[in-house]
Amino acid sequence: MKVTKAEFIISAVGPNQYPEDALPEIALAGRSNVGKSSLINRMISRKNLARTSSTPGKTQHMNYYRINDTMYYVDFPGYGYAKVSKVQRAAWGKMVEKYLAERETLKLVLLVVDLRHPPTADDRMMHEWLKHYDIPMCVVATKADKIPKTRLPRHIKIVKETLGILPGESFIPFSSELGLGRDELWSLIESRIAS
Ligand code: GTP
Ligand code: MG
């Protein structure tokens, strides 16, 4: 997709703030600091529309970005951030679960994981949960630029095995730094929002 327009719409804390124009939504889930906001910026070729930070826990609400007036990226707060209180964590879980289970305009979840390390217990739980509810999903393994090329296949294998990704499930190695995987991910998103 050629992105001609990208705007921040709202930082939503609950369903009454979600947009009502029924455009298709692509949501990003993943560990805090894994690179979700950076991935959005790379997809839309904007430096810092989705706010990124080296401090984990930057994205606290569901941030909506409208692209070309045709779709939204929905940037979730990251999970697994130790400094978040139990109460906050429970609130996060409720908000995200409700969204994932009930949002009719949701077309695809990008489960963003770190290609450098084996997925965490939280990553595995999220993957299982999305599968269980039959929510269309693509695992995007980011920060590929931090791994020497020759070792990429090994890292890809470990991530796939740890999550139990089956042949036929969508999996895309990615780098927000280099743009690796961008075209492939756009193709997938475009086919999902057309369906
Ligand atoms: P939260 O909003 O806290 O959940 O984090 P996030 O998942 O949105 O992560 P964010 O995009 O803010 O990125 C976290 C850090 O990782 C930043 O310092 C980014 O510059 C860095 N980063 C993200 N993606 C990549 C990548 O593909 N390659 C490299 N080298 N660094 C990356
Ligand atoms: Mg973020």
Side-chain angles (χ1 to χ4, degrees):
M1 186 180 296
K2 186 171 164 26
V3 177
T4 52
K5 192 174 169 190
E7 339 157 62
F8 169 72
I9 300 299
I10 192 169
S11 199
V13 291
N16 55 353
Q17 290 180 311
Y18 300 162
E20 289 177 347
D21 51 12
L23 292 175
E25 297 182 6
I26 308 296
L28 289 97
R31 221 162 34 74
S32 187
N33 217 35
V34 71
K36 299 176 295 299
S37 302
S38 304
L39 187 151
I40 294 178
N41 288 329
R42 169 54 79 171
M43 292 305 282
I44 63 180
S45 310
R46 300 287 192 280
K47 266 252 153 64
N48 212 6
L49 184 66
R51 278 221 275 150
T52 64
S53 166
S54 49
T55 330
K58 191 81 200 164
T59 314
Q60 293 286 2
H61 305 308
M62 319 262 280
N63 288 329
Y64 271 86
Y65 301 92
R66 192 168 56 213
I67 313 303
N68 291 356
D69 293 323
T70 55
M71 62 164 275
Y72 289 103
Y73 279 112
V74 189
D75 195 5
F76 283 6
Y79 51 71
Y81 178 43
K83 282 192 185 157
V84 169
S85 72
K86 265 201 182 134
V87 175
Q88 266 180 305
R89 204 169 301 165
W92 181 95
K94 266 203 182 135
M95 177 172 72
V96 170
E97 238 179 89
K98 197 170 158 55
Y99 171 91
L100 291 173
E102 294 174 10
R103 188 68 174 160
E104 282 177 5
T105 48
L106 175 64
K107 292 289 184 177
L108 180 69
V109 175
L110 307 179
L111 177 57
V112 186
V113 299
D114 192 329
L115 186 55
R116 294 173 300 174
H117 312 292
T120 63
D122 286 331
D123 292 332
R124 294 212 303 272
M125 215 151 72
M126 195 62 172
H127 184 255
E128 277 304 308
W129 198 90
L130 291 165
K131 273 181 81 159
H132 178 78
Y133 284 96
D134 213 14
I135 296 166
M137 153 180 55
C138 174
V139 175
V140 181
T142 194
K143 304 196 181 178
D145 57 282
K146 295 214 172 183
I147 299 165
K149 270 216 173 81
T150 52
R151 289 176 55 197
L152 279 176
R154 187 173 161 67
H155 282 257
I156 290 171
K157 186 165 179 276
I158 290 172
V159 169
K160 282 185 167 174
E161 280 179 3
T162 309
L163 289 176
I165 294 181
L166 303 171
E169 278 188 59
S170 302
F171 177 90
I172 300 178
F174 197 90
S175 164
S176 297
E177 199 69 27
L178 305 176
L180 174 82
R182 181 180 183 270
D183 293 347
E184 192 183 350
L185 186 52
W186 263 126
S187 303
L188 177 68
I189 289 171
E190 285 174 274
S191 72
R192 282 298 315 165
I193 61 182
S195 69

